[in-house]
Amino acid sequence: MATSWGSLLQDEQQLEELARQAVDRALAEGVLLRTKQEPSSSDQVVSYAPFTLFPSLVPCALLEQAYAVQMDFNLLVDAVSQNAVFLEQTLSSTIKRDNFTAKLFDIYKQVLKEGIAQTVFLGLNRSDYMFQSNADGSPALKQIEINTISASFGGLASRTPDVHRHVLNVLNKTTEATKILSNNPSKGLALGIAKAWELYGSANALVLLIAQEKERNIFDQRAIENELLARNIHVIRRRFEDVSEKGSLDQDRKLFMDGQEVAVVYFRDGYMPSQYSLQNWEARLLLERSCAVKCPDIATQLAGTKKVQQELSRVGMLEMLLPGQSEAIARLRATFAGLYSLDMGEEGDQAIAEALTAPSRFVLKPQREGGGNNLYGEEMVQALERLKDSDERASYILMEKIEPEPFRNCLLRPGSSARVVQCISELGIFGVYVRQGKTLVMNTHAGHLLRTKAIEHADGGVAAGVAVLDNPYPV
């Protein structure tokens, strides 16, 4: 995909002036992060979130395909979360060697044994894709992962279209400016939370947002909070530690925080091992045992693991989970990249042998969220050599490496001069679903997120400091 901004990227003086204008517009629009130096406070100084100077070209057909399959992914995640046998069989080898997944699974088993108290279920997820460059040069949509907990940047992605429109208008490219898609994921995500809150059925109950102490991405979260407040739904922000100290359940397992009833628990924390102390694990169990709507509940968090993603690509798995839905299954399967189990045995041995023979074709993925965890190239080879005779390898999966066609764009970051570099993009589609008992009452997509990074960075997102925010320019 050739860039239509080619000549504009040559003129350094013009780029610098455009960058100044773009940054000022981003600040005015609220495309903001707290600083690394002051991650707990907005008092002294905040900065703009890194972004591209120009929107990046995305083929209309792939954008449409990603939107069209999102409701299928919602159904699939929901089906997996309700299938205890599938989750137990799929994660049986992983939980023996991956302590974090094992602890999540322990809570899942405890809740199942006691009986699930919640009757309303809410999924806010984001399915991420890259554009594989086929042998004939055509691009294909391939899923990287699905995020079922704390899927971020819906708020900031709602603010960036006006920044790119502004840049194009400054250049007198008014026709091009109108092609930048309107996008408001924060509204769609809030509508899902609002529906779950309504179905919970207590007018005075609150939404509890589980937040980190040090949260640079606060403005992204506030966008959703503000959408809820506009609907007269009040949100309180608390840490796991606060839940441990001041959270309680009554005899009906209703959740109370500081004496106020909680209808919905929205996790923006709790997806990495470093986020849990013993006290935090106890708080998570308390939340899971309650009849409040959890976003996600523990089963849905487990449904988003890499091991589940790999097992779903096996022949017959989708048919078992989504019986009679052949069209949805075809749409889902078309986005799957090659995924390989590393469980002990012949299949895992063969996958490791292939990866060691052609390391440039694969990525090694642990059961982790948050970016910056995957291993490539020489690092992957060293890890596989160390793991190949140990059952610890079952805590990883192997994935075919997606090879998109690079393009040029200009990346803007606080404290750095504008850089024109070779880039690749990752497209995320936000999904929202609400289920009451066995009845799906909402299933929709809620907008998109495009993130772009320089090709030298193998792994990591915006929060990890590698990728920057972007918008698709449909072609």
Side-chain angles (χ1 to χ4, degrees):
M1 290 184 290
T3 168
S4 65
W5 321 121
S7 58
L8 297 169
L9 292 166
Q10 313 291 343
D11 186 338
E12 274 186 43
Q13 205 172 348
Q14 185 183 36
L15 281 181
E16 281 178 23
E17 172 54 29
L18 268 179
R20 282 193 288 272
Q21 292 218 34
V23 165
D24 285 345
R25 185 62 188 248
L27 291 164
E29 290 293 340
V31 183
L32 302 170
L33 288 175
R34 284 176 175 167
T35 63
K36 280 181 184 163
Q37 294 74 28
E38 296 285 346
S40 307
S41 168
S42 311
D43 277 357
Q44 303 287 324
V45 64
V46 295
S47 67
Y48 67 89
F51 65 100
T52 59
L53 183 53
F54 298 103
S56 294
L57 277 58
V58 172
C60 292
L62 298 192
L63 200 55
E64 286 164 16
Q65 183 189 355
Y67 267 106
V69 75
Q70 185 56 46
M71 276 90 92
D72 304 322
F73 272 115
N74 293 345
L75 286 175
L76 181 59
V77 170
D78 191 42
V80 170
S81 75
Q82 294 177 76
N83 195 316
V85 174
F86 174 79
L87 279 173
E88 185 141 10
Q89 286 176 348
T90 297
L91 296 171
S92 58
S93 55
T94 307
I95 58 178
K96 286 180 189 144
R97 291 307 310 230
D98 188 277
N99 195 33
F100 179 60
T101 310
K103 282 186 163 162
L104 291 171
F105 196 80
D106 281 347
I107 291 177
Y108 172 60
K109 293 297 283 183
Q110 282 183 69
V111 171
L112 277 185
K113 189 176 177 186
E114 185 180 13
I116 296 169
Q118 76 185 83
T119 57
V120 178
F121 297 83
L122 167 64
L124 302 181
N125 62 57
R126 196 188 69 227
S127 184
D128 292 337
Y129 306 91
M130 279 185 167
F131 312 125
Q132 171 76 34
S133 186
N134 292 331
D136 64 0
S138 65
L141 188 78
K142 293 294 168 190
Q143 189 187 49
I144 305 295
E145 64 180 353
I146 191 158
N147 304 277
T148 61
I149 179 168
S150 190
S152 59
F153 291 108
L156 296 191
S158 307
R159 307 262 154 92
T160 54
D162 278 340
V163 180
H164 279 146
R165 288 186 193 116
H166 178 75
V167 168
L168 295 177
N169 282 328
V170 167
L171 291 164
N172 279 322
K173 292 187 174 289
T174 50
T175 308
E176 288 87 343
T178 62
K179 290 186 181 174
I180 292 174
L181 305 170
S182 290
N183 188 35
N184 197 353
S186 52
K187 184 177 183 181
L189 297 170
L191 284 172
I193 296 173
K195 188 65 179 174
W197 175 87
E198 176 197 321
L199 292 171
Y200 179 84
S202 176
N204 296 319
L206 304 169
V207 172
L208 168 62
L209 188 152
I210 300 294
Q212 298 180 42
E213 173 98 42
K214 295 180 176 177
E215 182 52 84
R216 292 188 64 206
N217 202 18
I218 182 92
F219 302 101
D220 185 57
Q221 299 173 9
R222 293 288 194 206
I224 296 168
E225 291 177 49
N226 295 342
E227 289 279 356
L228 289 167
L229 192 56
R231 290 164 178 76
N232 208 23
I233 299 170
H234 289 258
V235 180
I236 56 170
R237 300 175 64 87
R238 296 290 186 273
R239 303 164 307 152
F240 277 122
E241 290 85 350
D242 301 317
V243 173
S244 179
E245 288 163 19
K246 295 182 178 175
S248 62
L249 304 186
D250 72 4
Q251 69 273 18
D252 299 320
R253 284 202 269 167
K254 285 180 178 170
L255 174 65
F256 290 84
M257 190 71 211
D258 298 322
Q260 294 178 287
E261 188 178 355
V262 173
V264 179
V265 181
Y266 175 36
F267 289 99
R268 291 298 293 252
D269 192 11
Y271 48 88
M272 292 197 288
S274 60
Q275 295 165 339
Y276 286 94
S277 60
L278 191 59
Q279 183 187 25
N280 291 10
W281 280 116
E282 286 168 1
R284 181 70 192 265
L285 176 60
L286 178 87
L287 295 170
E288 289 300 326
R289 290 184 57 235
S290 80
C291 62
V293 183
K294 269 77 67 183
C295 181
D297 66 312
I298 202 102
T300 304
Q301 183 170 354
L302 290 168
T305 54
K306 306 294 183 288
K307 183 62 187 172
V308 166
Q309 183 189 8
Q310 174 257 305
E311 282 297 307
L312 290 174
S313 70
R314 281 192 194 278
V315 174
M317 279 298 175
L318 294 183
E319 286 78 2
M320 182 270 288
L321 289 158
L322 299 173
Q325 303 209 42
S326 56
E327 288 179 12
I329 287 166
R331 285 190 294 267
L332 289 162
R333 204 162 266 144
T335 69
F336 288 178
L339 293 149
Y340 310 95
S341 169
L342 295 186
D343 288 358
M344 298 305 281
E346 193 178 334
E347 183 189 12
D349 291 347
Q350 190 180 341
I352 289 171
E354 282 190 35
L356 290 172
T357 306
S360 64
R361 287 178 39 222
F362 297 94
V363 184
L364 186 64
K365 292 189 163 190
Q367 312 300 313
R368 293 289 176 272
E369 299 302 323
N373 302 299
N374 300 335
L375 298 173
Y376 302 78
E378 188 52 43
E379 272 189 308
M380 180 187 73
V381 169
Q382 286 171 10
L384 287 175
E385 291 288 6
R386 177 178 62 81
L387 292 166
K388 65 181 181 183
D389 298 319
S390 157
D391 62 358
E392 190 193 335
R393 75 190 206 187
S395 63
Y396 293 80
I397 66 158
L398 202 61
M399 184 173 174
E400 167 196 1
K401 190 174 177 218
I402 313 299
E403 298 282 4
E405 186 185 331
F407 57 89
R408 289 170 78 234
N409 205 331
C410 180
L411 308 187
L412 305 180
R413 295 178 188 282
S416 304
S417 53
R419 271 179 78 216
V420 177
V421 288
Q422 289 285 104
C423 301
I424 54 173
S425 289
E426 190 169 321
L427 173 70
I429 306 291
F430 290 96
V432 179
Y433 64 89
V434 179
R435 173 168 51 83
Q436 188 171 31
K438 292 287 177 191
T439 308
L440 209 61
V441 292
M442 181 185 278
N443 181 17
T444 187
H445 46 64
H448 55 265
L449 168 70
L450 193 70
R451 291 166 299 170
T452 293
K453 58 189 173 187
I455 53 174
E456 68 257 28
H457 295 298
D459 191 31
V462 181
V466 173
V468 308
L469 299 170
D470 198 348
N471 279 291
Y473 184 85
V475 290

